[in-house]
Amino acid sequence: MAFPFYWMVSTSLKSPQEAQQAQPVWVPERMKPQNWLAAARIGGMGLGGLAPQKTRVFPLGPGPTPPKAFIPMALGALVDPRKEQVRVEVRKGEGGFEVVLENTGQTRFQTVPLVVLWPKEAPLRLSLPPDLIRSQGAYWRLEWMNATAGALGYVFHNYLEAWRAAPFGRYFFNSLITASIQVAVGLFLAAVAAFALARIPFPGKEGIFLLILATMMVPGEVLLIPSYLLLAKLKWLDTYYALIVPWLASVFGIFLLRQFYLSLPQDLFDAARIDGAGYLTQLFKIALPLAVPGLVTYGIFTFLGAYNALLWPLIVTQSPEMRTVQLGLLAFIGEAGSDYGQLMAASTLVILPIVLGYFLAQKQFIQGVARSGLK
């Protein structure tokens, strides 16, 4: 169970070369403490970066001939301010060659990539391992995704780039607000409907319940087009109504809570009826407090289903402002392939609220199970 989680977290800390090579990398370079110290000597303990009119010294190592260093042009960009405003100079230092990066402009750069062409006849004894190394003629082409990173910026590079690649703050808000409303309203509707089917006598009750259960046999994919056309007629596409309203009523929730209500002793409801309690009083004073495990179970399944939804938000939303976190993960999958490091970093950020919510709410889970018994 822990292995896939570790693999996701470790991949989120890998460089592109480590993430794509065939041989598994169990301990990425960014997880090694000696590299944290090397990054801290370059950019401090924080996120690093290169401020205006400031310099950063990037140590390389000893060698017989000076290497070549330059800032690469960003992929697909016609103009890169970092390449134009940052001056690169290779000089001889105490421990060998070093690269001096000087920001001659007025713009602060969070990341400054660096490419070094290192002669093959010289041994590679670098203070900070490159993110990518490959052969280029008589040189080794060494690439660092951020040559000005501090300790935190070095370790969490993929997380920072993933957060900047898409408006994940908005995505998290959309997912959390839609999931929370579905849980709150869905719990109320399921609790009321289940109580009516379990404890209120009326003609045709069993038939209605069987009819409701029969809807569970209809595949959800069959309802996609009719639901989409209905929302289009209501002009609800690309709105919160489209993300929330179709999923408020749950047949599974009604069935689950009905079974909980039926497991409660009938004597409790008879005594309440003798004391003059109506059906709503019986529901809120007797049934719901004793059905906490069912409510918690249904709430968990509803929240996870809404938070992890991908197909439905993909169909009914078009603008980036209405996308959810699951759609945000698609930003790291393109025609050129997947950036697995940033993809796993974004995936870790996406599941983090669920993991934290579990640890924070586990006390309530235990109390809910404990309250299911009768004294």
Side-chain angles (χ1 to χ4, degrees):
M1 293 293 290
F3 176 77
F5 184 77
Y6 170 78
W7 187 255
M8 179 182 66
V9 175
S10 64
T11 304
S12 70
L13 300 176
K14 293 178 182 178
S15 64
Q17 185 169 2
E18 290 177 324
Q20 296 180 3
Q21 70 182 37
Q23 184 177 0
V25 178
W26 302 104
V27 182
E29 293 293 339
R30 292 194 178 110
M31 293 179 64
K32 299 178 179 179
Q34 63 268 26
N35 294 333
W36 306 347
L37 299 177
R41 286 192 291 267
I42 297 173
M45 295 301 298
L47 301 178
L50 188 57
Q53 308 303 320
K54 297 293 183 179
T55 61
R56 294 282 190 188
V57 178
F58 188 86
L60 293 175
T65 57
K68 301 177 182 179
F70 59 91
I71 295 177
M73 180 72 73
L75 184 64
L78 300 177
V79 178
D80 192 338
R82 296 173 298 187
K83 187 174 180 62
E84 296 180 352
Q85 298 182 26
V86 178
R87 187 170 64 89
V88 182
E89 178 187 358
V90 178
R91 69 185 184 188
K92 188 75 172 181
E94 295 182 359
F97 292 105
E98 58 187 19
V99 179
V100 179
L101 303 171
E102 180 183 0
N103 187 354
T104 60
Q106 299 300 321
T107 304
R108 175 182 175 84
F109 299 111
Q110 297 294 334
T111 61
V112 178
L114 179 65
V115 174
V116 173
L117 300 180
W118 188 267
K120 289 185 176 180
E121 66 270 12
L124 283 174
R125 292 195 297 269
L126 304 171
S127 59
L128 190 66
D131 297 317
L132 180 64
I133 179 172
R134 53 188 174 181
S135 177
Q136 183 173 322
Y139 297 93
W140 292 113
R141 182 184 175 96
L142 313 176
E143 299 184 19
W144 287 267
M145 302 174 68
N146 186 10
T148 63
L152 292 178
Y154 173 75
V155 176
F156 298 107
H157 174 81
N158 287 332
Y159 288 88
L160 297 173
E161 291 300 309
W163 188 265
R164 296 169 185 150
F168 270 97
R170 179 71 182 189
Y171 296 165
F172 272 111
F173 174 80
N174 291 338
S175 292
L176 291 176
I177 194 68
T178 55
S180 300
I181 294 177
Q182 286 187 37
V183 170
V185 180
L187 277 175
F188 175 78
L189 296 178
V192 174
F195 185 81
L197 293 172
R199 293 296 177 180
I200 300 179
F202 60 89
K205 181 174 68 174
E206 295 300 327
I208 293 176
F209 178 65
L210 292 177
L211 182 62
I212 293 176
L213 284 183
T215 61
M216 297 183 67
M217 294 185 290
V218 180
E221 292 77 7
V222 176
L223 302 177
L224 288 179
I225 295 179
S227 299
Y228 179 87
L229 295 176
L230 177 60
L231 294 175
K233 293 291 184 180
L234 296 174
K235 298 183 179 180
W236 281 3
L237 294 178
D238 207 29
T239 65
Y240 287 112
Y241 296 111
L243 293 172
I244 298 174
V245 174
W247 310 105
L248 290 180
S250 170
V251 177
F252 169 75
I254 295 174
F255 172 76
L256 179 66
L257 294 180
R258 177 183 178 272
Q259 298 308 115
F260 264 92
Y261 295 153
L262 291 176
S263 66
L264 300 178
Q266 180 64 34
D267 295 342
L268 293 174
F269 299 94
D270 293 339
R273 192 176 303 110
I274 293 174
D275 291 338
Y279 287 123
L280 288 180
T281 303
Q282 297 176 36
L283 171 63
F284 291 105
K285 296 294 184 179
I286 300 176
L288 289 183
L290 296 176
V292 169
L295 296 173
V296 172
T297 302
Y298 172 66
I300 292 174
F301 279 102
T302 302
F303 184 87
L304 291 178
Y307 187 82
N308 293 326
L310 173 64
L311 182 59
W312 183 251
L314 181 64
I315 293 175
V316 299
T317 61
Q318 290 134 11
S319 61
E321 293 78 12
M322 295 305 303
R323 290 175 181 169
T324 58
V325 290
Q326 304 302 331
L327 293 181
L329 297 179
L330 297 178
F332 306 99
I333 303 175
E335 296 180 358
S338 301
D339 189 333
Y340 292 107
Q342 294 187 23
L343 177 60
M344 292 299 103
S347 300
T348 304
L349 292 175
V350 168
I351 71 169
L352 193 59
I354 299 177
V355 175
L356 292 178
Y358 170 76
F359 284 109
L360 292 176
Q362 60 180 334
K363 182 178 179 180
Q364 284 71 21
F365 297 160
I366 297 174
Q367 289 179 350
V369 175
R371 293 178 63 181
S372 63
L374 296 177
K375 296 183 180 179

